[in-house]
Amino acid sequence: MSQFWSPLVRTLTPYVPGEQPKVTNLIKLNTNENPYPPSPAVTAAMQAVSAASLRLYPDPDSSQLKQTLADYHGVKPNEIFVGNGSDEVLAFVFMALLKHESPLLFPDITYSFYPVYCRLFGIDYVEVPLNDEMKIDIGDYTGRECGAIIFPNPNAPTGIPLPLSAIEQLLQAQPQAVVVVDEAYVDFGGETALPLMQRYPNLLVVRTFSKSRSLAGLRVGFAVGHPALIEGMERVKNSFNSYPMDRLATAGAVASYQDDAYFRQTVQAVIDSREEMTRALQELGFTVLPSSANFVFARHPAFSAESLAAGLRERAIIVRHFKHPRIDQYLRISIGTPEECQQLVAALTLLTA
Ligand SMILES: *Cc1c(COP(=O)(O)O)cnc(C)c1O
């Protein structure tokens, strides 16, 4: 019955999210979720929301959540946009800020949702190749005519970060273009661009609760930038969905920010496991890109990534393999608990023997 589709729908190639298996006995290292549960304060806060209150619409402006985020990050509530996961925040970013005469620039190897949004919203884009070290070279973005720029920092799926100085250089070189820095993984060792926000009205930083705050299932994300950028996004949001943040998600998200000690402790545990796993994979002969995220991107000179991924799956371990030609020899492996990392390394020891 696809004759009922709007014409645009026929042209879409939707994003394919990492597999969320229905069985629970797998070691799931394929979608960069946090191996640790959210803070107990999150559970308590969500349990304290009375079911009766769900009768009422939530605050359309999410004032409490914005105030909490503003206090923590040292900005004002009108410099914050909140949404249902950063994927939704990014949808508002693309609609409100990234469609211009000149193309949007992003890396050829990056978060694969970006080209999907471009096709959905009719945004012209150019994929700028990473250099031979799989790094973003800011020089490739500074001299080029463009409508806007977006990239994750650290980049995904490489895990490689850009220094703050490079981002500042870009903001200065492209004052007419919005530069969106998707900081989904920044808490695991990247340098946040937030301190540049007050000086550069063309900077927008996007964050998520899904990775470092162990709340992928709650769907909360936000953006921080000049009030004019935020207002542009609010205009689109209020033309689309006035109440995206539900009462439970708001309570959980606020509580997460109130337990900073737990946040720091779990992030550090993931970083420690990443360093240990990197050493173990290198001992097995893998080349591991230098990651500042909660995953590693690794390839083995003697074994194809596709066969290794299949071998791991037979051993009930799932990792991510991308069929993109430049990276099809790599596996992206999320950092699990120390036990999960050990089992991954044990399985790869057998598969590369
Ligand atoms: C995981 C991820 C997101 C999406 O996160 P959600 O908040 O769960 O929608 C956005 N950008 C990048 C680069 C990611 O890896």
Side-chain angles (χ1 to χ4, degrees):
M1 294 295 109
S2 58
Q3 78 267 26
F4 297 127
W5 293 359
S6 301
L8 170 69
V9 178
R10 295 178 220 281
T11 72
L12 296 178
T13 314
Y15 174 73
V16 183
E19 181 189 354
Q20 302 301 338
K22 300 287 182 291
V23 291
T24 52
N25 54 349
L26 291 177
I27 296 183
K28 191 175 176 308
L29 304 177
N30 68 330
T31 53
N32 300 342
E33 286 137 334
N34 201 303
Y36 302 107
S39 155
V42 171
T43 316
M46 291 177 68
Q47 280 169 345
V49 175
S50 85
S53 74
L54 298 180
R55 185 177 65 78
L56 301 169
Y57 280 107
D59 172 12
D61 296 322
S62 297
S63 311
Q64 187 198 7
L65 179 54
K66 285 184 184 172
Q67 189 66 56
T68 302
L69 294 168
D71 291 346
Y72 187 94
H73 293 292
V75 299
K76 297 187 208 74
N78 69 349
E79 294 170 326
I80 296 185
F81 179 90
V82 295
N84 235 213
S86 62
D87 283 343
E88 190 197 67
V89 173
L90 287 167
F92 289 114
V93 172
F94 275 73
M95 269 192 273
L97 305 174
L98 304 188
K99 184 170 180 170
H100 299 282
E101 282 283 304
S102 306
L104 171 68
L105 306 182
F106 50 79
D108 62 338
I109 306 298
T110 195
Y111 189 35
S112 46
F113 221 132
Y114 301 160
V116 174
Y117 283 134
C118 285
R119 290 188 293 264
L120 177 60
F121 300 126
I123 299 170
D124 189 20
Y125 65 95
V126 174
E127 294 178 319
V128 181
L130 297 181
N131 70 16
D132 292 342
E133 294 178 305
M134 303 292 275
K135 290 181 177 163
I136 293 171
D137 185 337
I138 284 298
D140 295 336
Y141 294 78
T142 50
R144 197 187 275 247
E145 166 135 348
C146 66
I149 297 165
I150 184 168
F151 52 82
N153 188 33
N155 194 17
T158 63
I160 299 177
L162 266 179
L164 201 54
S165 55
I167 291 171
E168 181 155 26
Q169 200 189 327
L170 180 60
L171 290 163
Q172 285 173 349
Q174 296 280 16
Q176 305 305 324
V178 175
V179 176
V180 181
V181 185
D182 180 348
E183 294 192 338
Y185 301 105
V186 77
D187 293 322
F188 299 106
E191 258 183 295
T192 178
L194 282 175
L196 299 177
M197 196 218 98
Q198 302 300 338
R199 274 181 292 137
Y200 297 95
N202 56 330
L203 169 66
L204 190 80
V205 173
V206 177
R207 292 281 191 99
T208 177
F209 283 64
S210 297
K211 314 303 179 15
S212 58
R213 293 189 176 270
S214 307
L215 288 169
L218 201 63
R219 313 306 305 132
V220 184
F222 62 103
V224 186
H226 189 280
L229 299 183
I230 302 303
E231 191 191 331
M233 295 174 69
E234 295 285 352
R235 288 176 72 125
V236 175
K237 174 233 160 202
N238 289 322
S239 306
F240 182 80
N241 178 2
S242 318
Y243 302 103
M245 307 311 297
D246 68 71
R247 289 173 179 273
L248 289 165
T250 302
V254 167
S256 169
Y257 264 72
Q258 287 165 346
D259 191 354
D260 203 43
Y262 182 90
F263 165 71
R264 288 172 190 275
Q265 183 195 322
T266 46
V267 162
Q268 191 57 49
V270 170
I271 293 171
D272 293 346
S273 296
R274 178 186 72 212
E275 297 310 303
E276 198 166 318
M277 189 151 100
T278 300
R279 280 191 295 275
L281 291 174
Q282 285 168 337
E283 275 172 31
L284 293 178
F286 281 88
T287 301
V288 185
L289 298 187
S291 172
S292 292
N294 67 338
F295 56 84
V296 293
F297 206 46
R299 68 184 157 85
H300 198 285
F303 297 89
S304 88
E306 193 166 15
S307 68
L308 290 175
L312 287 171
R313 175 171 279 277
E314 281 170 21
R315 289 162 176 78
I317 301 173
I318 52 175
V319 299
R320 192 93 194 252
H321 173 245
F322 297 93
K323 288 205 160 71
H324 187 293
R326 233 187 135 181
I327 53 172
D328 66 357
Q329 282 317 309
Y330 283 87
L331 295 177
R332 193 195 67 189
I333 308 169
S334 309
I335 304 302
T337 61
E339 298 70 35
E340 289 172 329
C341 293
Q342 276 163 19
Q343 293 192 51
L344 180 273
V345 170
L348 286 174
T349 304
L350 293 173
L351 289 168
T352 57

